[in-house]
Amino acid sequence: MAAQTMTGAEIVINALVDQGVDTIFGYPGGAVLPIYDALFQQNKIRHILVRHEQGAVHAAEGYARSTGKPGVVLVTSGPGATNAVTGLADALMDSIPLICLTGQVPTHLIGSDAFQECDTVGITRHCTKHNWLVKSVDDLGRIMHEAFYVATNGRPGPVVIDIPKDIQFQSAEYAGMQNVAHKTYRPRVKGDIEAIREALELIANAKKPIFYTGGGVINSGPVASQLLRDFVQLTGFPITSTLMGLGAYPASGKNWLGMLGMHGTFEANNAMHDCDVMINIGARFDDRVTGRLDAFAPNSKKIHIDIDASSINKNVRVDVGIIGDCAHVLEDMIRLYKAKAIRPDKAALADWWKQIDVWRDRKSLSYKASDEVIKPQYAIQRLHELSKGRDTYITTEVGQHQMWAAQHFPFEKPNHWMTSGGLGTMGYGLPAAVGVQIAHPDALVIDIAGEASIQMCMQEISTAVQFMLPVKIFILNNEYMGMVRQWQELLHGGRYSHSYSESLPDFVKLAEAYGATGIRASTPGELDAKIQQMFDTPGPVIFDCLVDKKENCYPMIPSGAAHNEMILADDEDSASVSEEGKMLV
Amino acid sequence: MNAENKVERHTMAVLVDNEAGVLARVIGLFSGRGYNIESLTVAEVDQAEHTSRITVVTTGTPMVIEQIKAQLDRIVPVHKVVDLTTETHAIEREMAMVKVAGTGEKRVEALRLSDAFRARVIDTTHTSFVFEVTGTPEKIDAFIGLMRPLGLVDVSRTGVVAIARGPEAM
Ligand SMILES: Cc1ncc(C[n+]2csc(CCOP(=O)(O)OP(=O)(O)O)c2C)c(N)n1
Ligand SMILES: [Mg+2]
């Protein structure tokens, strides 16, 4: 394409189109009016008007995570940018590729405390992978393309481009998409073959191996998930995953142990504790997963595959670190595994599986059923059962309901599970569901929510109504910030300080006020019919599911404890937390 | 204390694109993740390429040092990071300007000692000297220590710059 002269605002739009963007999430304001004007005069990009900039970022996250494409956000200067900060921090923690365009006061006013000025690049430096303040319109086109490159290559993450208003008006030549490679940022994707050989040596001699996989497999793309499935089948090893990695290996697969970590299954955590070879693929030894570090898988050799070199040996020392993209490394690993004709130790593996079956028999996800009150776990199981056969995407808020969703809603495919893992952001689920539904208009998109969390970005129901997005908000209403209440019960003598959800709105009426549909269920007997009614309702629905108020989320590794010191539902009375553990979050 | 927990002092050289905010990124990394900075210097080293070199002296356990290097390396405008302490035999230098005020015996003594340190007098009045002294941080510490009782009034130090011995670039 020959270079064309156009305004900064037009460069923004053209660069987005060149990057294959067809949808952006945003909210207008003074400092982005020229870009909004350019949006108005084109029809290649659809703009989804949210109700709060935090919602725009979470929606873009949901869009990105369910499609594998980067999400794009457009907000104004000052409060528009600061409102986006929580979403950016969330995306950074969970490695979600986002491009967030922020308006800025005109260059000659920067630093003068102008109206709606804030130091956006300063504020977002710590919650983005990288950011730019565009100081000359001549740089704008290059920066736009660089931003996409940085956000999507290596470990993905959010980036911010801060664009002063005068630059949006000024003209420059735009030469289209060219030379997208970055001057300094060239992440490696191929793993070191020597390290891969070393890893295979450990794998070949393992007697009690385990795969521990994470969000990196999902981020790497569908090929990585497929290769993971192949490798698990080839080796016959058991596999567990972090919260972020659910779906990479199917929950119905026979080697699946369930999620690990603080609310992981008994078999997954015990297998982690007792394993002799751990194969970490795209996970980061997060504290929710490791429990007490000095008691973490004490007798194991550890292999760690990660695209981010700084993840290796950060929290846990490993024996073999492989820097590279999960799909590339898995491909090489499988090739060499086959070439070397590695045969796992069948007898040892059989013993290992026998031990795992003993742990499985504890049925750590079981709960006391009831025919009077709806148990939250039961509600999720019904939701799953009744949604079978549909293309279902689940998002969540943060709390007990999130953990129950992870435990009781089995995922068969990657990219169908959207949750705020690293930052744990209440308010994530509804806007994320909006983003998912935009990308998958015919899918069933459910936000499994808590009555407290949902109020944090409730306003986005209005977005769903405007764009006719049939998202289903399934509130497990226990009238408590249940997760907070559970910790207060466990750690603070049952003093439920400010964790009761006082003055709740009538969620059914609230739905109606927004022009959506409200449904309430209060007994197990009516649950199925009401869920079916929710599925059959064409537009957005708020489902107020009144559940057991005192149910706790088990199993649980209490803070400061080791993987083999889990509390199970049936010994919850003896639960205790060490003094040291109380300090942890 | 075993080697794993021993706190070591390391000097790192970081080659960066000389763009707005790059120093804030590096410093922000140290403050945000709770790493120590003992000394930090920065200046453009290649005008044509717009690259700057940051020399940072830090302390930490071997695992923390490895982390610092990896974290520096993933800052987008960073070209290269070299841990000069582990990867090379490096030479370190620092320069200081040291102002000493006084008259009589002390003044004479200050001048005599400065000679032993090969410090240069770069400003003088009837009642003061400014010395320029170059060397390792320890040498400069020693010089300043000696000047203290002789009328030390002001010190300005550059922080450490370092470079690997031998023919190779970083
Ligand atoms: C923005 C934000 N503020 C505070 C918290 C701390 N927090 C974690 S879970 C939780 C309670 C959530 O309550 P609810 O949404 O009703 O879910 P439940 O645990 O009852 O299922 C709180 C307050 C958080 N994670 N995010
Ligand atoms: Mg609740």
Side-chain angles (χ1 to χ4, degrees), chain A residues 454-474:
Chain A
I454 193 62
Q455 294 185 76
M456 285 213 176
C457 278
M458 187 74 242
Q459 73 284 347
E460 299 310 328
I461 186 82
S462 175
T463 309
V465 171
Q466 178 185 345
F467 291 92
M468 293 182 287
L469 306 172
V471 296
K472 313 301 179 199
I473 304 166
F474 192 78

Side-chain angles (χ1 to χ4, degrees), chain A residues 439-451:
Chain A
H440 309 275
D442 300 324
L444 172 62
V445 183
I446 309 173
D447 170 26
I448 296 180
E451 84 295 334

Side-chain angles (χ1 to χ4, degrees), chain A residues 450-452 476-482 501:
Chain A
E451 84 295 334
L476 293 175
N477 185 347
N478 53 7
E479 291 180 23
Y480 275 102
M481 297 172 196
S501 288

Side-chain angles (χ1 to χ4, degrees), chain B residues 110-167:
Chain B
L111 197 59
R112 201 184 60 78
L113 284 170
S114 73
D115 202 38
F117 276 77
R118 280 192 257 167
R120 291 201 303 143
V121 176
I122 54 175
D123 177 72
T124 182
T125 67
H126 289 301
T127 55
S128 69
F129 289 121
V130 175
F131 296 112
E132 175 197 308
V133 58
T134 307
T136 63
E138 295 75 26
K139 174 179 163 185
I140 290 171
D141 287 345
F143 183 68
I144 291 168
L146 287 170
M147 289 302 124
R148 189 158 281 125
L150 302 179
L152 180 79
V153 289
D154 215 358
V155 177
S156 177
R157 297 172 70 149
T158 57
V160 172
V161 292
I163 203 160
R165 292 179 189 274

Side-chain angles (χ1 to χ4, degrees), chain A residues 125 131 183-184 308 310 313, chain B residues 17 24-25 66-67 74 76:
Chain A
R125 193 170 288 134
N131 60 17
K183 206 157 51 154
T184 49
D308 179 0
S310 76
N313 292 331
Chain B
D17 258 349
R25 283 178 215 287
E66 182 186 338
Q67 229 345 255
R74 82 187 188 136
V76 169

Side-chain angles (χ1 to χ4, degrees), chain A residues 54 86 376 397-404 423-427 449-456 475-486 498-499 501 549:
Chain A
Q54 182 185 352
T86 300
E397 309 289 336
V398 172
Q400 290 178 320
H401 62 275
Q402 176 189 30
M403 293 298 116
W404 283 319
L423 199 65
T425 311
M426 291 169 72
E451 84 295 334
S453 295
I454 193 62
Q455 294 185 76
M456 285 213 176
I475 304 175
L476 293 175
N477 185 347
N478 53 7
E479 291 180 23
Y480 275 102
M481 297 172 196
M483 192 55 97
V484 174
R485 193 197 53 72
Q486 177 168 346
H498 303 278
S499 55
S501 288
K549 300 185 180 41

Side-chain angles (χ1 to χ4, degrees), chain A residues 121 125-126 128-132 135 146 150 155 182-185 308-317, chain B residues 4 17 19-21 24-25 28-29 31-33 49-50 62-63 66-67 70-71 74-79:
Chain A
V121 286
R125 193 170 288 134
H126 300 269
T128 53
K129 183 172 170 185
H130 193 59
N131 60 17
W132 294 260
K135 288 189 173 153
E146 234 177 72
V150 171
R155 180 175 176 174
H182 193 270
K183 206 157 51 154
T184 49
Y185 188 68
D308 179 0
S310 76
S311 278
I312 292 171
N313 292 331
K314 179 170 64 182
N315 301 330
V316 170
R317 263 234 174 271
Chain B
E4 287 265 300
D17 258 349
E19 62 176 43
R25 283 178 215 287
L29 168 69
S31 64
R33 292 188 183 264
E49 290 287 319
H50 290 292
M63 207 156 150
E66 182 186 338
Q67 229 345 255
Q71 292 289 352
R74 82 187 188 136
I75 294 176
V76 169
V78 165
H79 285 263

